[in-house]
Amino acid sequence: MSELEKERHPKRSDLLEKAKALSSTPGVYLMKHETGQVLYVGKAKSLKNRVTSYFQPILHETARIEIMVSLVSAFDVILTETEEEALVLECTLIKKYRPKYNIRLKDDKHYPYIKISESEPYPRLEWTRKVLNDQARYFGPFPSGWSARVVLKLLTESYRLRDCADNTFAHRSRPCLLYQMDQCSGPCVGKISQEDYKNDVESAIKVLEGRGKDLLKNLKQSMKIASDEERFEDAARFRDQIQSIEVITQTQSVSDPNQRIDQDVFAFDRKEARATGVVLQ
């Protein structure tokens, strides 16, 4: 930035230098007015690249962004492990602050969860956007409805859990087609004991909790065998399942909907003469 440009945009030049010092990791950024008001919330694959783009000495394509940047006196960033976490966190912060310059206020959007009622004798995995104060367990949020449905289908088929509605389950007199296809263990007609079914449910829950190493190991072995036997369609299906499980284990560290209280997290680290403190609300 030239000296003349620095004179024209004194705040912008200072903010640009601060932005250049950011990490090139995924995360969320909050643009703030000098009063502390949050003007804009955004997510980025690379915080450094995205935030520095706002403070370059050029006019932005839209007047809305140009006006917003002219009002910014500071910004905060929150690092995340993945882009998916940044997406979910962005939604949470937009709901909290209702920033003026966010066009799409996602206040009415609820991210999807996977629900399981462990109190039932033969529970099933369910897709939902509502987290109720009931006895069920909820896993998520997932970054999209598609990702939640892929995970639900994968776990239901992998552990041969039922996916029929309660009314259908209660009135079935013979196994359905999914049982014939070896995609369901047939609990509706007593083809599996309640204890064995419960063990399968617990295995699926371990994956949702991010402990899917055993399933990943088995799928990778199956993919290798299918590839060695030149069953490439089966190998591709195993590959897709592996990728889906990796998505599951990446999206569980933003929030825990089963906790019925709000929590703030404090962290402090000191090494010799340098120290860092972090507060996550």
Side-chain angles (χ1 to χ4, degrees), residues 198-253:
K198 181 181 179 181
N199 290 335
D200 290 337
V201 170
E202 290 177 351
S203 295
I205 288 176
K206 287 181 181 179
V207 177
L208 289 168
E209 291 175 336
R211 296 183 289 163
K213 291 183 179 179
D214 291 340
L215 180 57
L216 275 174
K217 181 180 179 180
N218 293 336
L219 287 173
K220 288 178 180 178
Q221 289 176 345
S222 299
M223 182 178 68
K224 185 178 185 306
I225 292 172
S227 179
D228 292 342
E229 295 177 354
E230 298 186 355
R231 293 184 288 111
F232 298 116
E233 289 186 2
D234 290 338
R237 177 167 56 85
F238 291 131
R239 177 203 61 203
D240 293 342
Q241 290 178 340
I242 290 170
Q243 292 175 348
S244 297
I245 290 182
E246 289 173 345
V247 169
I248 304 172
T249 57
Q250 284 182 344
T251 56
Q252 299 305 310
S253 58

Side-chain angles (χ1 to χ4, degrees), residues 21-32:
L22 293 176
S23 169
S24 297
T25 58
V28 174
Y29 55 92
L30 298 85
M31 300 296 187
K32 292 187 172 183

Side-chain angles (χ1 to χ4, degrees), residues 19-225:
K20 288 180 178 179
L22 293 176
S23 169
S24 297
T25 58
V28 174
Y29 55 92
L30 298 85
M31 300 296 187
K32 292 187 172 183
H33 189 265
E34 60 184 5
T35 61
Q37 176 189 4
V38 176
L39 300 171
Y40 184 81
V41 174
K43 65 180 183 302
K45 180 178 181 180
S46 169
L47 282 170
K48 180 178 181 179
N49 293 345
R50 188 72 183 97
V51 178
T52 54
S53 69
Y54 284 100
F55 305 116
Q56 298 294 336
I58 56 175
L59 289 175
H60 291 277
E61 293 183 359
T62 61
R64 176 181 61 88
I65 295 298
E66 183 64 30
I67 294 172
M68 184 274 292
V69 171
S70 70
L71 297 174
V72 174
S73 64
F75 61 81
D76 290 339
V77 297
I78 302 175
L79 307 184
T80 60
E81 294 181 2
T82 66
E83 292 180 70
E84 289 81 8
E85 287 184 6
L87 176 66
V88 175
L89 182 57
E90 177 198 33
C91 175
T92 301
L93 294 176
I94 287 175
K95 289 179 179 179
K96 178 178 181 179
Y97 293 112
R98 299 182 60 85
K100 179 179 179 180
Y101 290 93
N102 279 88
I103 293 179
R104 294 185 299 128
L105 289 174
K106 304 174 184 176
D107 298 284
D108 296 325
K109 181 172 182 180
H110 299 277
Y111 278 91
Y113 291 81
I114 289 179
K115 172 184 176 180
I116 184 164
S117 300
E118 294 182 278
S119 59
E120 297 179 4
Y122 295 100
R124 65 188 178 111
L125 301 180
E126 300 178 64
W127 185 97
T128 182
R129 289 187 183 273
K130 294 182 178 180
V131 178
L132 304 177
N133 189 16
D134 52 15
Q135 300 301 313
R137 292 192 65 183
Y138 294 84
F139 299 92
F142 290 85
S144 68
W146 173 85
S147 63
R149 291 185 191 279
V150 167
V151 168
L152 187 150
K153 184 175 186 295
L154 169 63
L155 292 179
T156 298
E157 292 180 358
S158 297
Y159 292 103
R160 304 172 69 229
L161 305 178
R162 73 176 181 97
D163 72 345
C164 53
D166 292 342
N167 185 58
T168 301
F169 178 80
H171 294 90
R172 186 169 289 282
S173 59
R174 60 181 182 179
C176 65
L177 181 61
L178 291 177
Y179 174 79
Q180 304 296 336
M181 297 171 61
D182 199 34
Q183 293 182 5
C184 178
S185 55
C188 55
V189 290
K191 295 294 184 180
I192 184 174
S193 68
Q194 186 173 337
E195 182 179 356
D196 288 341
Y197 189 89
K198 181 181 179 181
N199 290 335
D200 290 337
V201 170
E202 290 177 351
S203 295
I205 288 176
K206 287 181 181 179
V207 177
L208 289 168
E209 291 175 336
R211 296 183 289 163
K213 291 183 179 179
D214 291 340
L215 180 57
L216 275 174
K217 181 180 179 180
N218 293 336
L219 287 173
K220 288 178 180 178
Q221 289 176 345
S222 299
M223 182 178 68
K224 185 178 185 306
I225 292 172

